[in-house]
Amino acid sequence: MDALAGLLDGPRARGAFLLRMVMEPPWSLRIEDHAPLCLMCVTHGEAWLVHGSGTAPVLLRPGDIAVVRGGPEAYTVTDAPGSAPQAVIGPGGTCHTPHGEPLAQSMRLGVRTWGNAPDGSSTVLVGTYQMDGEVSRRLLDALPDVLHLPADAWDCPLLPVLDDEMSRDDPGQSVVLDRVLDLLLIGVLRTWFSRPDAAAPGWYRAMGDPVVGRALRLLQNEPAHPWTVASLAARCGVSRAALARRFTALVGESPMAYLADWRLSLAADRLRETDATVESIARQVGYGGSYALSAAFKRVRGISPQEHRTGVRPVR
């Protein structure tokens, strides 16, 4: 398993929100959906992306793609920076005016198509991951608030496929769209991480190191193994001290700290995505049992595994 495969294996799109947005100036949308990740592709015209974090506005032209980190920070998609928002997009794709009046039906233009003009000069494809998968947290933390790939920086045949599939309403279409969105995201991230100006995170760059890369793959592929720095070093063919020093220098944390975070991330994902017992999940990811996993979960995340699984904290 390589770095991207390990990170993207868990947070696959499941019922992603996908929309073709057709707009004629003036227009401006404020996005407050708190979704962890959103992809935007311009197919006609242009659009500006203005992130609330203070990142410089980004102009998107045909063939360009942007990946936006969501969460509590709102951002705006508009025909021009500084335009006052005419609509607010909330969680789950809800849409209303800044005064709270619903807009979803009045601006509906067809299958997964929405906007203020059927033949508007700008068309933007939007794909939003609505679930915050825990394995993706390390990936999200590695991304800038806005990742922008101009059309001439990459060659991906998936944009026309996504555009075509979004207009269909066949049985099982949501699953098809989820998979196309996943492939598009992976293509974007592979291209971006390979760029010299991408400032890729330490764990990604370290995958190319003959020693630390092997150590990372062992930890990712065998999280249930009773690893120690000594046993990991032996499998990598170096001394314990050499591995610890080299791993920390390249990844930014010790091998055991990386493993602990990886185990908890895997456990968090499996709690949400499977019906397996806490005991079973604990042993799958390298803990002695449910008590050990629960103690680590509460210490690091502040909640129990069961509270994480249900998404509900009991009143204390």
Side-chain angles (χ1 to χ4, degrees):
M1 181 184 295
D2 62 35
L4 280 180
L7 289 164
L8 293 172
D9 185 58
R12 291 184 294 269
R14 295 171 180 83
F17 176 75
L18 289 118
L19 185 74
R20 177 188 291 104
M21 189 169 66
V22 184
M23 306 296 287
E24 182 66 24
W27 60 275
S28 181
L29 308 177
R30 183 170 174 82
I31 314 299
E32 298 179 351
D33 60 2
H34 304 296
L37 204 66
C38 178
L39 280 76
M40 294 186 184
C41 322
V42 172
T43 58
H44 297 92
E46 61 182 37
W48 284 89
L49 180 57
V50 184
H51 200 277
S53 64
T55 303
V58 175
L59 176 61
L60 303 176
R61 296 187 173 94
D64 289 9
I65 190 166
V67 177
V68 187
R69 285 183 56 185
E73 200 72 61
Y75 55 95
T76 301
V77 186
T78 178
D79 67 314
S83 295
Q86 299 162 346
V88 178
I89 308 299
T94 60
C95 181
H96 54 83
T97 69
H99 303 293
E101 301 162 353
L103 288 172
Q105 291 303 316
S106 63
M107 297 183 71
R108 182 180 173 85
L109 299 177
V111 177
R112 298 185 187 86
T113 303
W114 180 93
N116 64 3
D119 55 353
S121 58
S122 293
T123 302
V124 184
L125 306 184
V126 180
T128 303
Y129 286 76
Q130 301 187 79
M131 293 181 63
D132 193 0
E134 290 296 328
V135 173
S136 70
R137 178 52 49 190
R138 186 178 288 267
L139 173 63
L140 292 174
D141 289 345
L143 298 178
D145 292 324
V146 178
L147 185 164
H148 174 218
L149 278 183
D152 60 2
W154 71 314
D155 181 19
C156 181
L158 290 170
L159 286 182
V161 175
L162 182 64
D163 195 6
D164 178 62
E165 292 291 343
M166 284 177 67
S167 65
R168 301 175 182 270
D169 201 18
D170 300 333
Q173 193 63 22
S174 62
V175 177
V176 173
L177 288 169
D178 284 348
R179 298 292 76 80
V180 175
L181 182 63
D182 288 339
L183 290 171
L184 183 59
L185 174 63
I186 293 171
V188 169
L189 294 177
R190 279 169 45 177
T191 300
W192 185 78
F193 276 128
S194 68
R195 290 162 61 96
D197 59 342
W203 52 261
Y204 184 84
R205 297 192 305 270
M207 292 299 289
D209 183 85
V211 173
V212 178
R214 175 167 172 74
L216 284 167
R217 284 186 283 272
L218 286 168
L219 296 178
Q220 290 177 353
N221 293 342
E222 304 176 41
H225 186 82
W227 292 110
T228 64
V229 177
S231 65
L232 187 61
R235 291 280 294 273
C236 294
V238 296
S239 70
R240 178 183 182 279
L243 176 64
R245 180 172 59 251
R246 193 163 176 171
F247 193 104
T248 302
L250 292 178
V251 179
E253 59 187 334
S254 71
M256 294 301 100
Y258 179 91
L259 176 62
D261 180 73
W262 181 246
R263 284 172 168 170
L264 284 180
S265 294
L266 290 173
D269 238 21
R270 293 176 189 184
L271 285 164
R272 287 275 177 88
E273 297 171 2
T274 74
D275 295 326
T277 64
V278 175
E279 178 75 19
S280 173
I281 291 173
R283 296 188 182 281
Q284 289 172 23
V285 301
Y287 287 92
S290 59
Y291 179 81
L293 174 60
S294 296
F297 220 92
K298 288 181 179 178
R299 182 177 65 254
V300 174
R301 300 175 185 269
I303 57 175
S304 70
Q306 191 59 35
E307 289 166 359
H308 172 80
R309 167 169 271 170
T310 61
V312 178
R313 293 187 183 221
V315 178
R316 293 186 174 94

